[in-house]
C-alpha cells in the first residue's frame, strides 16, 4: 500500500544517504509534506558461539555522542546486493570471524517515521576464526573493542536500559524468543525473500 505522491524532491544528497521531500495525499484529500532519510538498507549479524555467547563490539556513534555495544553490521553498499553475502562480509571485516550456519533472525524498519532504512538481522552459528589477514579498520572502527557475552546477559542489559543499539537489542530479544519458542530450525533460511530490499535469487 502506498499513498499518492504528487511531488518529490531531494534537497540534500550525502555520500551514503539523502533527504527526500514528498508531497503526500492524505486520506481526507489534503496534501502534507513529509521529509525522510533515504537509506540503502543494512544487514546485521547476531553471531552465537558454542557457549551461547554473542559476539559484540563497541563503536563510537557521533549522532548520539556515545560508544555503543553493537553486533557486526553494515550498509548494503551495492544496489540489489545479496544480503547474506553482505552479512558474511561484515562479520569477516569487523570481527575476522566466519560462520557455517546462517538463518534470517528478523527483518525490521529502524525508524519508519523518518527514514526508509530496512535491516535484516541474521543469526550466524558454528563460528571460527577467519583465515588470512585481518581487514584494516579505520575511523570509528579503529577504536572498536570486542567481547563475547552470554545471550541472557544481553537480554537483561536491554531490559535494564543499559544497551541501546537497535540491532543488538532486537536481535538478542528475537533470539531469546526463538529459543523459548519453536527453536532455531523454525527460522527462515538465509536466502529468504526480503520484499523491503529485493535481491536476485
Amino acid at each position: 500500500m502506498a499513498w499518492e505522491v504528487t511531488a518529490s524532491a531531494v534537497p540534500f544528497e550525502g555520500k551514503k544517504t539523502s533527504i527526500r521531500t514528498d508531497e503526500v495525499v492524505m486520506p481526507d484529500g489534503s496534501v502534507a509534506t513529509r521529509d525522510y532519510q533515504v537509506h540503502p538498507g543494512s544487514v546485521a549479524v547476531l553471531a552465537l558461539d558454542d557457549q551461547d555467547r554473542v559476539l559484540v563490539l563497541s563503536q563510537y556513534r557521533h549522532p548520539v555522542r556515545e560508544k555503543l555495544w553493537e553486533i557486526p553490521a553494515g550498509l548494503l553498499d551495492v544496489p540489489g546486493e545479496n544480503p547474506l553475502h553482505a552479512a558474511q562480509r561484515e562479520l569477516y571485516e569487523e570481527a575476522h570471524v566466519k560462520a557455517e550456519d546462517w538463518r534470517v533472525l528478523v527483518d525490521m524498519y529502524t525508524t519508519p517515521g523518518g527514514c526508509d532504512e530496512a535491516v535484516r538481522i541474521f543469526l550466524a552459528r558454528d563460528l571460527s576464526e577467519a583465515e588470512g589477514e585481518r581487514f584494516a579498520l579505520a575511523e570509528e572502527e579503529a577504536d572498536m573493542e570486542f567481547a563475547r557475552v552470554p545471550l541472557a546477559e544481553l537480554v537483561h542489559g536491554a531490559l535494564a536500559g543499559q544497551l541501546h543499539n537497535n540491532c543488538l537489542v532486537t536481535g538478542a530479544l528475537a533470539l531469546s524468543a526463538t529459543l523459548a519458542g519453536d527453536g532455531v530450525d523454525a527460522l527462515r533460511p538465509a536466502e529468504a525473500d526480503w520484499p523491503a530490499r529485493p535481491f536476485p535469487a
Side-chain angles (χ1 to χ4, degrees):
M1 177 182 182
W3 292 358
E4 181 185 357
V5 175
T6 59
S8 187
V10 181
F12 170 79
E13 190 159 358
K15 184 179 177 183
K16 297 291 185 182
T17 67
S18 60
I19 301 298
R20 180 176 295 280
T21 299
D22 288 345
E23 301 293 327
V24 186
V25 179
M26 299 287 111
D28 65 1
S30 64
V31 177
T33 301
R34 293 290 178 263
D35 301 317
Y36 59 98
Q37 182 185 18
V38 178
H39 194 285
S42 305
V43 291
V45 184
L46 195 145
L48 187 71
D49 70 15
D50 56 6
Q51 298 177 50
D52 289 332
R53 299 176 304 175
V54 176
L55 173 63
V56 294
L57 53 92
S58 67
Q59 185 172 351
Y60 179 71
R61 294 302 187 182
H62 182 69
V64 296
R65 310 299 199 270
E66 287 186 45
K67 201 170 185 183
L68 301 179
W69 284 103
E70 307 180 351
I71 55 177
L75 299 175
L76 289 167
D77 293 313
V78 181
E81 182 177 17
N82 185 310
L84 174 60
H85 299 166
Q88 291 169 332
R89 180 189 68 233
E90 291 300 330
L91 184 60
Y92 166 75
E93 290 182 357
E94 292 192 348
H96 202 65
V97 167
K98 65 179 182 178
E100 298 303 321
D101 184 68
W102 291 82
R103 315 287 175 103
V104 174
L105 184 55
V106 68
D107 297 329
M108 65 178 179
Y109 292 113
T110 56
T111 49
C115 179
D116 70 352
E117 180 183 13
V119 178
R120 169 161 279 187
I121 303 176
F122 289 90
L123 172 64
R125 300 186 302 166
D126 296 340
L127 308 181
S128 62
E129 190 80 6
E131 298 173 0
E133 219 173 301
R134 287 191 73 97
F135 185 80
L137 300 175
E139 299 177 339
E140 290 93 343
E141 292 181 343
D143 190 39
M144 288 194 301
E145 300 172 63
F146 297 89
R148 293 193 182 205
V149 181
L151 176 63
E153 286 188 26
L154 294 178
V155 171
H156 175 79
L159 298 177
Q162 298 164 346
L163 301 173
H164 303 101
N165 174 265
N166 57 355
C167 291
L168 172 57
V169 170
T170 301
L173 294 175
L175 180 56
S176 180
T178 297
L179 296 174
D182 294 333
V184 170
D185 288 339
L187 292 173
R188 288 171 290 160
E191 300 271 9
D193 290 342
W194 189 14
R197 291 294 183 274
F199 59 95

